[in-house]
Amino acid sequence: MVATRTRLAGVLAGYLADVVLGDPVRGHPVAAFGRAAAAVERVTYRDSRAAGVVHVAVLVGALSLLGSALQRTADRGGWPWSIATTAGATWVSVGGTSLVSTGLEMAELLEGGDVEAARRLLPSLCGRDPAWLDGAGLARASLESVAENTSDAEVAPLLCAAVGGAPGVLAYRAINTLDSMIGYRSERYARFGWAAARLDDAANYGAARVTAALVVLCAPLVSGSPAGALRAWRRDATRHPSPNAGVVEAAFAGALGVRLGGPTQYRHELQIRPTLGDGHEPTVTDLRRAVALSRTVQAGTAVLAGLVAYRWRP
């Protein structure tokens, strides 16, 4: 019982730290992990799936072992250290506040007509090529990214922290970071990045569906449609090439009454995405509503994660 209560307190403290403080200003551990992963890649890279499996196993395993060592040491020090360790690992692994602030900054730039500045900001949200996008395209890309990252940057890590404490949430952050670095279908990563992409799909499978369910529940709080969210989720999600992004983006589209999908230009390829939802093309107002919906879903996830942490018996 003590262990579950300390994990509960740690998860909620980590969530609140993100709400109040946002991401660490300097020396962010995720950035440090990214630099380490890039250095390891220079040694492990081969144009093969097997090399990619080794790369992912080494990095995810190393961060998981580090989290386990930190958790064991903290547990021996007593409940304050246990709470602090889970809280710290959760805080550096979530990114909900940064997602919200970046989404709002994008909305302000688009409202002011500063398309060039909005293009410069877009890489903070997603990996698309901003040079191809006008104001409407930037609004759609940003809304889709807010939707997907609500799951990846907040829901999934909070649930992993609730179930696995510091080791669980750090392992998830390693998996998701590697996917963002090498999980592409580019010439370089089509084979080497395969393991990172597939592992990320597996790690986010449950969280994406929890996110969609919370979108259905929270839609009325942003004048959205629960029925629309549920209908688009059930009808359109499987059209998307990602088993998880499609679920979340479809739910957001239905809740907000917008239409997502269409031509999507990445730096390495042009993808023709299927249509999600059956409303109008997203506007800046819709982007603001999506940010508000994301913030509400994040708060709902914190409550759910607290319940999971309290009830979970490892």
Side-chain angles (χ1 to χ4, degrees):
M1 183 62 71
V2 173
T4 58
R5 288 177 177 174
T6 57
R7 192 184 307 122
L8 164 63
V11 170
L12 294 181
Y15 164 75
L16 291 174
D18 180 60
V19 170
V20 175
L21 303 174
D23 284 334
V25 178
R26 294 181 180 178
H28 199 303
V30 175
F33 174 79
R35 291 191 293 271
V40 171
E41 182 183 333
R42 290 194 287 271
V43 176
T44 58
Y45 180 81
R46 304 289 187 279
D47 189 15
S48 72
R49 287 185 175 183
V53 169
V54 171
H55 181 74
V56 170
V58 167
L59 288 164
V60 175
L63 204 57
S64 300
L65 289 173
L66 174 62
S68 296
L70 290 172
Q71 192 73 70
R72 285 196 301 271
T73 301
D75 290 345
R76 287 196 293 269
W79 63 266
W81 291 103
S82 294
I83 292 173
T85 298
T86 302
T90 302
W91 175 40
V92 302
S93 297
V94 300
T97 295
S98 291
L99 176 64
V100 165
S101 62
T102 305
L104 291 176
E105 183 180 356
M106 177 64 76
E108 291 172 2
L109 291 173
L110 293 175
E111 282 178 341
D114 195 343
V115 174
E116 287 303 317
R119 286 172 175 159
R120 291 193 296 270
L121 180 63
L122 188 66
S124 298
L125 284 170
C126 61
R128 301 181 193 183
D129 188 348
W132 292 75
L133 300 176
D134 57 9
L138 289 164
R140 188 201 113 197
S142 299
L143 197 157
E144 290 173 350
S145 182
V146 166
E148 181 178 1
N149 283 301
T150 298
S151 179
D152 291 1
E154 192 75 10
V155 177
L158 281 177
L159 294 178
C160 287
V163 172
V169 72
L170 291 179
Y172 171 78
R173 181 45 56 208
I175 291 167
N176 191 247
T177 302
L178 288 173
D179 177 62
S180 69
M181 295 178 69
I182 65 173
Y184 296 106
R185 299 175 185 174
S186 64
E187 184 177 352
R188 176 177 174 85
Y189 292 126
R191 285 173 287 275
F192 184 75
W194 173 84
R198 298 292 76 76
L199 185 58
D200 184 73
D201 286 344
N204 282 290
Y205 188 88
R209 285 143 185 86
V210 170
T211 305
L214 287 171
V215 167
V216 173
L217 293 174
C218 296
L221 299 178
V222 295
S223 300
S225 169
L230 185 59
R231 181 173 58 253
W233 173 11
R234 296 179 61 184
R235 184 191 64 201
D236 299 338
T238 56
R239 300 176 183 174
H240 197 283
S242 167
N244 300 322
V247 170
V248 181
E249 290 180 20
F252 264 77
L256 299 174
V258 299
R259 183 174 68 255
L260 302 178
T264 303
Q265 179 68 55
Y266 291 93
R267 296 190 184 278
H268 58 279
E269 68 174 344
L270 173 66
Q271 296 182 9
I272 305 301
R273 294 287 179 84
T275 299
L276 307 176
D278 49 16
H280 57 270
E281 291 188 2
T283 65
V284 177
T285 299
D286 297 315
L287 176 56
R288 288 190 177 278
R289 292 174 65 215
V291 171
L293 181 56
S294 175
R295 196 200 305 264
T296 305
V297 168
Q298 292 175 35
T301 304
V303 175
L304 177 60
L307 292 173
V308 171
Y310 184 75
R311 299 292 301 178
W312 183 260
R313 297 292 187 271

